[in-house]
Amino acid sequence: MKWHEMRSDEVMDTIHSDRDVGLTNKEVQKRTQKFGLNELKEADRPSAIIIFLNQFKDFMVLVLLAATLISGLLGEYIDAIAIIAIVIVNGVLGFFQERRAERSLEALKELSAPQVTVLRDGKWEKILSKELVPGDIVKFTSGDRIGADMRLIDTKSLEVEESALTGESLPVQKSTQPIAGENVGLGDLTNMVFMGTLVTRGSGIGVVIGTGMNTAMGQIADLLQNAETMETPLQRRLEQLGKILIVVALFLTLLVVSIGVLQGHDLYNMFLAGVSLAVAAIPEGLPAIVTVALSLGVQRMIKQNSIVRKLPAVETLGCASVICSDKTGTMTQNKMTVTHVWSGDQVWNITGTGYHPHGEFLRDGDPVDATKTKTLQQILTFGSLCNTATIKEHDGQYQLDGDPTEGALLVAAMKAGLRKETLLKNFEVIEEFPFDSSRKMMSVIVRDKSGNQFVVTKGAPDVLAGVSRYILWNERQENFNSKYDTKVKQAIESLASQALRTIAVAFKPLKSNEKINTSFEAERDLVFIGLQGMIDPPRPEVKQAVKECRDAGIKTVMITGDHIITAKAIAQQLNILPQNGKVMEGKDLSDLSVEELEEIVDDVYVFARVSPEHKLKIVKALQSRGHIVAMTGDGVNDAPAIKAADIGISMGVTGTDVAKEASSLILVDDNFATIKSAIKEGRNIYENIRKFIRYLLASNVGEILVMLFAMLLALPLPLVPIQILWVNLVTDGLPAMALGLDKPEGDLMNRKPRHPKEGVFARGLGWKVISRGFLIGIVTLAAFMIVYYRNPDDLAYAQTIAFATLVMAQLIHVFDCRSEKSIFERNPFGNMYLIGAVISSILLMLVVIYYPPLQPIFHTLPILARDWLLILGLSAIPTFLLAGSLLTRKSTKTMI
């Protein structure tokens, strides 16, 4: 039998503790030795040095280190230093990101209470919460944070806010009654309280049944420590690219050395030639440009209310295929709102959401004046008077101070012009009987200006119906007989079917000399007025965002700790739940293994009453199905799943520090619609990364083929190594970065998510790289041969011509890289950063060619004006030859 199934006395006997004395100090020492301190333990962490060194295991970093070695062998020490600087900067950034992410457990530890009031040797005393042991008797009151997991043995109007653990924002009413059932969800364990949760109302006494890692919070800490951080798709693609480049570089070096030696050339010279070719094969600037592109994307996302904590997460968003989203606060406003009022078999709808007191009252779709409808005015007035909450205005913003349910009643009255401060000028509250979880009611006695006194009561509808003798029906007072009891039950069911939480309101006039001393005397023979139905309404912009995600091939899954009826209703309102979509509760989820869940997870759109372990199981099942999963959340309970997801998203306003530290992305406005904007940005960033990979690699293929063909034809080298490095690091760098700023193409959010295993060269990119690169190499070699054969004694001039042709061919080709289709598909002036970058690269090339102090370093000579016609004519061929043939094919297809 579990703790929640036992009676209080059975719990005390099982844990060997005394309700009136507590534990003795001697017993406390024994239990401390057995169970340890009441603290969350940390898993062994690698040292700072190991974390730093691990940053250099990335394959593209190894590529850069290889490039450094090559540059050093060629005596190009400035290039070697520049590359090493890039490597170290990337390593330092990665180190600090990883160290920061591991702070999530430290934030978790801060949630435990610093001090608690405990019964030891028959005396109540204050101790540090870490000194608690199983069996301790602890008392707590409103405002206290719970220090350990406890079974309740006494409560007085106790309510505890458990959102950090369950995700449910409303406080939970607590009692001491046993609860039957094995797989009872955390949110339904109303006879227990848990470490890290907060007492919002009343008081209670509990016996400690779990400390440290044996608490619900400890289980989350364990999940958080053991949750694997997923490698991002971008990291996988860059690693794949790095491996290809290393293999190509080694192969080319061996090929050139072998060909040269067979042709009778000197081995050392051939080795240097092979190394030059390897330099051409490796795009040294690629990792730096990827980092810059991601950083620029981060800056744009900040303007769209998204803070990125881990750079690769920006691109990962772009290939998300499933968004697992919390309901409360993300899809909904986290502001309870009265939307329906029922009285006397009439229903009024109330428009407007949140705490802003503006809205209309509708009857059958037609506006009504609430102040001229007596019953409606009465139920709203009494709901406002029997209330301890207040609504405060500051700079046009309305904020709640108090219970969310009571706040909703206040706002409903304010929409009818009935402000509490005005009502209190006409009604004086002379007695209050606070809400009690056993009574499930709250009552006040009020006196109007005429001296008339009333009892006003609000509470659970079924309970209020049971203590009511009369009912208001069509503004007449009738006996509350079985007919009306049936009507009330039907109204409760109707509102509940719409996922509305119902509160009943009743009153009782008192005789002038009647004295009420107890809540029992006040709360009987009442006049039942009606019901107010409320809900945490969906954010208005979320429905469109869900639609746009669906159009983009992204499935939205709601995961919530809320009840299944509420979750299903909100999901239907937001069009998350299709007609044949499944809804699953946590208790059913507990009975399934991850493998069994994998079989059905694609058909489930809503998960309700879930625990932290369930969320982690859902994420893993979706990942096993090949999905890239984005997981959103705000509570401690969300942190393990956030960390394990491909991209973890936390809430900036309501999110706990634990969730934020475990996440890759923080939503400043807690809004689901912001996720959609971030996905669009992520997709565009990846497409831009593809653009500059295409640009850089096509350029490098051109450089490789120039060198390789020249060697096969027994020609001198058309380019010297320093010229190749200049092109790779400087001339190509600016346009590539400008491609990272390109605006998205029009159909970006109508495409399906990329498959997570899609390679870098998918969707024809490999062919584009090879075909453009081949033509760039051919025209560069042609320019070199024309000038070299014209004057074989002036090798440096021919190499300068080849250098200029290569640069210009690449700078023209960069405009072709802006579109997946053709250079003619996009306005060349649509990216002014690119125009500026190309002009800058041309100026840098001219400086290297015409500035005398740089000519010896780069082995260049001034180019004659007539030869620029040759250079520009040949440079245009690679881009416009293929673009023209593509245009011809398209026009032919159109004619056919």
Side-chain angles (χ1 to χ4, degrees):
M1 187 179 287
K2 296 186 178 180
W3 298 113
H4 63 269
E5 297 178 276
M6 300 179 186
R7 299 191 312 274
S8 300
D9 57 329
E10 290 177 315
V11 173
M12 299 303 297
D13 290 341
T14 305
I15 207 160
H16 304 296
S17 185
D18 190 299
R19 168 70 177 80
D20 300 315
V21 179
L23 298 177
T24 64
N25 288 324
K26 187 176 179 181
E27 183 63 24
V28 168
Q29 289 176 358
K30 282 184 185 177
R31 298 193 183 195
T32 302
Q33 288 180 344
K34 181 178 179 181
F35 297 103
L37 290 174
N38 179 31
E39 293 180 321
L40 301 181
K41 293 181 174 57
E42 299 183 37
D44 293 334
R45 295 188 192 180
S47 67
I49 294 173
I50 296 297
I51 291 174
F52 182 69
L53 293 176
N54 283 341
Q55 307 306 314
F56 301 95
K57 289 165 60 178
D58 184 86
F59 212 86
M60 279 306 288
V61 172
L62 295 178
V63 171
L64 279 180
L65 292 174
T68 308
L69 176 63
I70 292 167
S71 298
L73 288 171
L74 293 171
E76 305 298 341
Y77 301 115
I78 294 175
D79 297 313
I81 292 168
I83 297 169
I84 281 289
I86 291 170
V87 170
I88 291 173
V89 168
N90 282 340
V92 170
L93 284 173
F95 169 76
F96 280 112
Q97 283 177 355
E98 192 166 331
R99 290 288 285 177
R100 189 177 177 189
E102 292 305 321
R103 286 178 50 210
S104 53
L105 187 64
E106 294 168 23
L108 192 66
K109 291 170 76 173
E110 290 172 7
L111 281 178
S112 57
Q115 283 194 320
V116 291
T117 304
V118 65
L119 184 64
R120 296 264 175 94
D121 281 325
K123 296 178 182 177
W124 291 104
E125 56 184 277
K126 287 262 186 185
I127 65 167
L128 295 173
S129 67
K130 69 178 183 180
E131 297 172 6
L132 284 174
V133 295
D136 265 329
I137 308 296
V138 181
K139 70 177 179 180
F140 35 82
T141 188
S142 179
D144 288 346
R145 195 171 287 281
I146 303 297
D149 285 8
M150 304 180 211
R151 171 64 163 85
L152 293 169
I153 56 177
D154 186 32
T155 62
K156 290 181 180 177
S157 305
L158 181 64
E159 291 188 7
V160 181
E161 196 263 293
E162 298 178 340
S163 62
L165 283 174
T166 65
E168 177 51 42
S169 57
L170 290 173
V172 178
Q173 298 170 15
K174 296 292 184 177
S175 72
T176 60
Q177 296 302 311
I179 299 169
E182 284 285 324
N183 295 323
V184 182
L186 208 63
D188 295 319
L189 293 174
T190 53
N191 59 8
M192 294 180 66
V193 290
F194 305 97
M195 176 192 276
T197 58
L198 188 68
V199 179
T200 58
R201 177 185 279 177
S203 60
I205 297 175
V207 57
V208 175
I209 49 95
T211 59
M213 298 301 284
N214 293 319
T215 61
M217 193 73 75
Q219 292 171 16
I220 292 173
D222 186 56
L223 290 171
L224 196 56
Q225 289 172 0
N226 296 319
E228 296 179 10
T229 304
M230 296 296 294
E231 188 182 43
T232 71
L234 180 61
Q235 289 169 327
R236 290 196 290 268
R237 292 186 186 98
L238 289 180
E239 183 172 344
Q240 174 196 30
L241 179 59
K243 289 175 180 177
I244 293 170
L245 294 175
I246 286 288
V247 171
V248 169
L250 290 174
F251 172 76
L252 289 171
T253 303
L254 290 171
L255 179 66
V256 169
V257 172
S258 302
I259 291 172
V261 170
L262 288 173
Q263 290 179 343
H265 292 286
D266 178 69
L267 178 62
Y268 178 72
N269 288 332
M270 282 300 96
F271 175 72
L272 286 182
V275 168
S276 299
L277 210 54
V279 171
I282 299 171
E284 292 86 355
L286 181 59
I289 293 168
V290 168
T291 302
V292 169
L294 292 173
S295 300
L296 292 171
V298 166
Q299 296 305 312
R300 289 194 296 272
M301 290 174 77
I302 287 173
K303 295 176 183 177
Q304 298 174 14
N305 292 322
S306 306
I307 297 174
V308 177
R309 295 185 61 250
K310 299 173 186 175
L311 279 183
V314 182
E315 179 272 339
T316 312
L317 260 178
C319 52
S321 55
V322 174
I323 301 174
C324 295
S325 178
D326 187 29
K327 174 184 71 70
T328 306
T330 309
M331 293 184 163
T332 63
Q333 299 182 35
N334 200 15
K335 295 176 181 177
M336 293 298 288
T337 305
V338 174
T339 58
H340 292 70
V341 175
W342 177 92
S343 181
D345 223 18
Q346 296 185 72
V347 178
W348 293 268
N349 296 99
I350 309 178
T351 64
T353 57
Y355 299 136
H356 208 276
H358 295 292
E360 284 189 308
F361 288 79
L362 306 175
R363 178 84 174 92
D364 297 326
D366 298 321
V368 297
D369 187 345
T371 59
K372 293 182 179 177
T373 307
K374 185 178 178 182
T375 305
L376 185 56
Q377 187 178 20
Q378 200 168 21
I379 192 171
L380 294 171
T381 298
F382 286 159
S384 187
L385 288 172
C386 187
N387 203 308
T388 59
T390 54
I391 299 290
K392 298 177 181 177
E393 182 186 1
H394 181 69
D395 294 335
Q397 298 294 317
Y398 292 84
Q399 294 180 326
L400 167 68
D401 182 8
D403 181 79
T405 300
E406 292 193 326
L409 298 176
L410 284 183
V411 174
M414 290 166 74
K415 289 176 181 177
L418 302 168
R419 292 181 174 270
K420 187 176 181 180
E421 52 268 33
T422 305
L423 292 172
L424 289 175
K425 293 177 182 177
N426 298 316
F427 295 91
E428 180 189 357
V429 178
I430 58 176
E431 185 73 62
E432 179 182 324
F433 299 101
F435 178 87
D436 184 281
S437 56
S438 59
R439 291 169 28 243
K440 296 184 179 180
M441 287 182 284
M442 172 192 174
S443 297
V444 292
I445 298 177
V446 298
R447 181 166 50 220
D448 64 17
K449 285 188 172 182
S450 303
N452 299 316
Q453 292 187 166
F454 304 88
V455 172
V456 180
T457 304
K458 75 171 192 302
D462 55 334
V463 176
L464 237 65
V467 293
S468 293
R469 186 174 180 180
Y470 307 100
I471 185 171
L472 281 184
W473 201 264
N474 295 328
E475 299 187 3
R476 293 198 310 272
Q477 189 170 300
E478 306 280 355
N479 287 323
F480 199 130
N481 55 31
S482 58
K483 180 184 84 169
Y484 293 118
D485 186 51
T486 302
K487 291 280 189 182
V488 170
K489 286 178 180 176
Q490 288 173 347
I492 294 170
E493 289 175 9
S494 173
L495 294 174
S497 68
Q498 300 171 63
L500 297 176
R501 182 181 181 183
T502 52
I503 295 289
V505 179
F507 80 107
K508 177 173 67 173
L510 298 176
K511 296 173 184 176
S512 57
N513 60 348
E514 189 174 355
K515 288 290 286 181
I516 299 290
N517 297 311
T518 65
S519 60
F520 176 75
E521 292 174 359
E523 295 164 350
R524 62 179 179 174
D525 298 334
L526 301 175
V527 181
F528 193 95
I529 306 175
L531 307 168
Q532 295 199 45
M534 62 189 70
I535 195 170
D536 179 10
R539 290 176 178 264
E541 65 275 15
V542 170
K543 187 173 183 178
Q544 179 62 23
V546 168
K547 179 184 181 299
E548 290 180 26
C549 285
R550 187 167 56 249
D551 292 342
I554 303 166
K555 176 185 177 183
T556 302
V557 177
M558 180 190 288
I559 301 179
T560 179
D562 211 339
H563 288 281
I564 190 167
I565 294 173
T566 306
K568 187 175 180 180
I570 295 292
Q572 287 172 335
Q573 287 182 44
L574 295 173
N575 287 341
I576 290 172
L577 185 64
Q579 192 169 1
N580 298 320
K582 292 182 179 178
V583 179
M584 182 175 282
E585 277 192 283
K587 61 184 180 182
D588 300 320
L589 201 54
S590 297
D591 298 331
L592 300 177
S593 65
V594 174
E595 292 75 22
E596 289 171 327
L597 181 58
E598 283 174 30
E599 297 296 319
I600 61 169
V601 73
D602 282 334
D603 299 322
V604 183
Y605 289 80
V606 178
F607 293 92
R609 301 307 268 177
V610 292
S611 69
E613 294 88 347
H614 294 150
K615 295 184 180 186
L616 198 56
K617 185 189 280 191
I618 293 163
V619 168
K620 288 182 176 177
L622 287 165
Q623 287 172 334
S624 298
R625 296 287 294 177
H627 292 290
I628 297 294
V629 182
M631 173 74 198
T632 77
D634 57 1
V636 176
N637 60 321
D638 300 313
I642 286 173
K643 186 177 179 184
D646 296 277
I647 173 148
I649 305 171
S650 63
M651 304 298 117
V653 179
T654 59
T656 60
D657 288 342
V658 184
K660 290 175 186 175
E661 291 296 337
S663 66
S664 307
L665 185 77
I666 299 173
L667 302 183
V668 175
D669 56 359
D670 290 13
N671 195 337
F672 181 88
T674 305
I675 302 174
K676 183 264 299 179
S677 301
I679 286 175
K680 185 175 182 180
E681 187 63 52
R683 286 190 174 191
N684 187 45
I685 285 171
Y686 179 68
E687 290 305 313
N688 288 348
I689 288 173
R690 269 175 59 92
K691 290 173 188 176
F692 60 66
I693 285 177
R694 171 182 167 185
Y695 169 61
L696 290 175
L697 293 190
S699 302
N700 285 30
V701 167
E703 295 162 19
I704 292 167
L705 295 180
V706 167
M707 305 292 281
L708 185 59
F709 289 159
M711 290 175 188
L712 291 172
L713 296 170
L715 291 167
L717 293 179
L719 299 163
V720 296
I722 186 66
Q723 290 172 344
I724 294 173
L725 282 168
W726 174 266
V727 172
N728 285 358
L729 284 172
V730 182
T731 309
D732 288 350
L734 289 172
M737 286 183 187
L739 282 175
L741 291 167
D742 218 10
K743 293 177 181 177
E745 295 187 64
D747 63 344
L748 187 67
M749 285 300 282
N750 293 325
R751 304 173 191 170
K752 288 189 175 181
R754 301 185 308 280
H755 193 278
K757 294 184 179 178
E758 177 185 291
V760 176
F761 301 107
R763 292 182 272 150
L765 185 65
W767 163 248
K768 289 170 185 171
V769 166
I770 293 169
S771 60
R772 270 61 164 187
F774 177 81
L775 288 175
I776 289 171
I778 291 295
V779 298
T780 303
L781 185 62
F784 172 75
M785 291 174 66
I786 290 168
V787 177
Y788 177 69
Y789 284 130
R790 193 171 68 197
N791 188 1
D793 295 327
D794 199 352
L795 176 60
Y797 187 74
Q799 288 174 330
T800 306
I801 294 290
F803 172 65
T805 305
L806 177 67
V807 170
M808 291 307 300
Q810 291 177 3
L811 293 179
I812 295 171
H813 171 242
V814 74
F815 291 98
D816 190 29
C817 296
R818 292 188 63 222
S819 172
E820 291 275 344
K821 299 168 186 173
S822 164
I823 191 172
F824 302 111
E825 292 287 328
R826 304 195 74 181
N827 180 359
F829 296 100
N831 185 344
M832 293 308 295
Y833 296 105
L834 185 59
I835 298 290
V838 168
I839 292 171
S840 300
S841 294
I842 291 171
L843 291 175
L844 287 169
M845 175 190 68
L846 294 175
V847 168
V848 167
I849 292 171
Y850 289 104
Y851 185 53
L854 293 179
Q855 289 171 349
I857 298 173
F858 290 95
H859 308 279
T860 56
L861 292 170
I863 295 175
L864 300 173
R866 67 180 185 186
D867 287 328
W868 278 110
L869 293 174
L870 172 69
I871 290 166
L872 293 174
L874 289 172
S875 299
I877 290 173
T879 297
F880 290 102
L881 178 68
L882 289 174
S885 64
L886 182 66
L887 211 61
T888 304
R889 284 203 303 272
K890 282 178 69 176
S891 62
T892 305
K893 283 182 181 178
T894 306
M895 289 171 68
I896 292 170

